[in-house]
Amino acid sequence: MKALILVGGFGTRLRPLTLSVPKPIVEFANKPSIIHQLEALKEVGVDEVVLAVNYQPELMSSCMNEWSKKLDMKITYSLETEPLGTAGPLALAAASLSTDRDGNPSSDPFFVLNSDVICPFPFQKFLEFHRNHGQEGTILVTEVAEPSKYGVVVADDNGKIQRFVEKPQVFVGNKINAGIYIFNPSILKRIKVEPTSIEKQIFPAMASEGQLFSMVLEGFWMDIGQPKDFILGTKLYLNHISEAKPELLQKGPGFIGPVLVDPSAKIGQNCTIGPHVTIGKGVVIGDGVRIKSSVLLDSSRVGDNSFVDAAIIGWQSHLGKWCRTQNTTVIGQNVKVKDEVLINGARILPHKDIDASIYEEGRIV
Ligand code: GDD
Ligand code: MG
């Protein structure tokens, strides 16, 4: 079976991290976020994945080559010369999506994923649901409190979608599009190789013909395309792991709640870490450090007695001693933060030296 992942877009909302690497390569829970998707696809029998990209595929390819071998999946790139939106990329990859691995025509359904969503990926159940209703497409939906920044789905008791409204201005409902779909290849007849929104142009048409169904997701879901949601998504994911695979989590004195630590990380004496922290490869943490609700990316360092709260610390960045972060702070790659500096909800661009505290929330430095 095949899948297409919508990777395009510049990931501007996740800057400064996406100034260094494409959004799907940013590690979520110590793995490139797209790998969580590939592993789940592999498990349901997908053996070929098309990555729909609209700029610089070479930035992803070395990382993806490594994972392609590890997972034994074929990974190809479909490169747009102009951004084709969320539907155009399906038309561009139509030759692949409508054939099997030997190039023979196939009516097998395929998966389509937004690259920035994370959930338990119940793909087997999703596929069975799709096969059972027999229509052209199925959307995975989830309930949120604030639906206006998503696509909203109104469906009957069987899941048959009556209306699909992207980013509604007025309240329509609170079941939203989770950005995970299964389609029969017949959908490709609806789409041209031109900028097209699947949410605004294709879904409403399919719904009006009774060709679009929805399945409600059980468990957590998050679009991790913005720093605050990335940190919140980490929390939900770690809570899920503490039920589903507790053996992956760090145990012992000084660890509170679910914390994921790469075995190569070094942690000093008398630290208190957690809940909801991920610590990547080669991270070094000094003595007496307090960390909660934060993501420490590979090879970052935190000096003695610092307090890291609600932060993403970029690759190779160093926080001095007695530093403090709070309020969704994002530090880009290779930043040096001097001793005793406080950073309150700022975004720090890669390769900066920060010598003085930043009190004003939302600053970009
Ligand atoms: N190849 C390609 N080309 N991919 C694109 C393009 C493009 O021109 N534009 C966007 N994408 C990719 C993004 O990288 C992302 O993976 C996905 O398409 C969705 O785009 P976002 O920009 O993240 O959209 P959104 O988060 O505002 O809304 C979408 O996701 C919500 C769930 O998170 C919609 O699908 C909503 O309906 C949905 O609720
Ligand atoms: Mg998104």
Side-chain angles (χ1 to χ4, degrees):
M1 243 193 343
K2 295 193 184 181
L4 178 138
I5 304 182
L6 291 159
V7 172
F10 296 95
T12 46
R13 289 175 291 185
L14 204 54
R15 278 184 191 160
L17 302 174
T18 45
L19 295 172
S20 301
V21 301
K23 184 162 71 168
I25 301 295
V26 175
E27 292 90 350
F28 176 86
N30 291 353
K31 259 184 234 171
S33 63
I34 198 169
I35 300 306
H36 295 273
Q37 301 185 323
L38 292 182
E39 286 178 339
L41 288 168
K42 162 92 187 173
E43 209 167 297
V44 75
V46 170
D47 54 4
E48 183 168 341
V49 179
V50 180
L51 301 182
V53 292
N54 58 33
Y55 77 121
Q56 296 183 302
E58 61 281 3
L59 291 177
M60 293 190 68
S61 57
S62 66
C63 171
M64 294 317 294
N65 286 348
E66 184 192 323
W67 281 98
S68 158
K69 283 192 205 107
K70 263 193 219 166
L71 295 170
D72 188 24
M73 293 171 99
K74 182 175 170 190
I75 295 175
T76 62
Y77 298 85
S78 174
L79 178 61
E80 296 146 46
T81 49
E82 60 169 331
L84 293 177
T86 45
L90 274 68
L92 189 65
S96 166
L97 296 174
S98 57
T99 54
D100 65 17
R101 270 193 86 161
D102 302 320
N104 301 314
S106 161
S107 56
D108 250 17
F110 54 85
F111 288 86
V112 173
L113 273 59
N114 288 352
S115 66
D116 56 1
V117 295
I118 201 92
C119 70
F121 301 118
F123 288 153
Q124 189 60 44
K125 204 173 153 196
F126 192 41
L127 187 58
E128 281 160 19
F129 180 87
H130 176 77
R131 291 212 156 107
N132 279 341
H133 70 68
Q135 303 302 321
E136 197 165 73
T138 311
I139 301 181
L140 197 63
V141 299
T142 183
E143 224 167 86
V144 296
E146 181 35 74
S148 63
K149 59 176 181 173
Y150 305 105
V152 174
V153 169
V154 180
D156 69 15
D157 292 345
N158 300 321
K160 188 174 184 176
I161 297 180
Q162 287 141 346
R163 287 181 73 196
F164 187 101
V165 190
E166 183 65 13
K167 317 244 158 69
Q169 307 275 312
V170 292
F171 186 83
V172 184
N174 56 5
K175 288 223 174 59
I176 62 126
N177 168 20
I180 294 173
Y181 321 120
I182 301 184
F183 302 124
N184 295 341
S186 58
I187 191 180
L188 298 167
K189 293 196 198 102
R190 301 174 183 271
I191 311 169
K192 295 196 190 105
V193 184
E194 56 188 44
T196 309
S197 160
I198 202 162
E199 298 87 353
K200 291 183 185 152
Q201 294 163 265
I202 308 300
F203 288 162
M206 289 170 75
S208 71
E209 292 168 30
Q211 291 285 327
L212 196 57
F213 277 68
S214 58
M215 186 184 102
V216 178
L217 171 71
E218 277 166 40
F220 77 100
W221 175 88
M222 189 53 66
D223 178 329
I224 54 171
Q226 313 184 31
K228 206 175 181 176
D229 294 343
F230 195 95
I231 291 172
L232 182 55
T234 300
K235 170 181 170 172
L236 298 177
Y237 174 84
L238 291 176
N239 284 346
H240 167 73
I241 289 297
S242 66
E243 306 256 304
K245 285 186 185 167
E247 66 278 8
L248 296 180
L249 298 172
Q250 195 72 17
K251 277 164 213 82
F255 292 97
I256 307 173
V259 174
L260 195 62
V261 181
D262 187 274
S264 64
K266 291 196 174 62
I267 298 176
Q269 305 286 309
N270 302 318
C271 292
T272 307
I273 300 179
H276 310 123
V277 173
T278 68
I279 296 177
K281 279 195 204 85
V283 169
V284 179
I285 294 168
D287 297 334
V289 169
R290 174 78 181 99
I291 309 178
K292 56 202 270 206
S293 306
S294 292
V295 172
L296 274 66
L297 294 173
D298 293 357
S299 305
S300 57
R301 286 169 176 255
V302 180
D304 297 346
N305 304 308
S306 285
F307 177 37
V308 179
D309 182 22
I312 307 175
I313 312 291
W315 312 270
Q316 297 101 34
S317 282
H318 292 190
L319 232 58
K321 297 177 183 171
W322 298 101
C323 287
R324 182 182 175 113
T325 71
Q326 59 191 36
N327 218 347
T328 316
T329 285
V330 188
I331 297 181
Q333 183 177 24
N334 188 35
V335 169
K336 306 269 178 298
V337 180
K338 219 175 148 192
D339 293 351
E340 299 175 31
V341 161
L342 174 143
I343 307 179
N344 177 31
R347 311 270 184 276
I348 314 293
L349 299 176
H351 314 295
K352 292 273 180 188
D353 288 338
I354 304 296
D355 300 332
S357 290
I358 302 166
Y359 299 102
E360 190 196 332
E361 197 186 328
R363 268 190 60 193
I364 299 171
V365 180

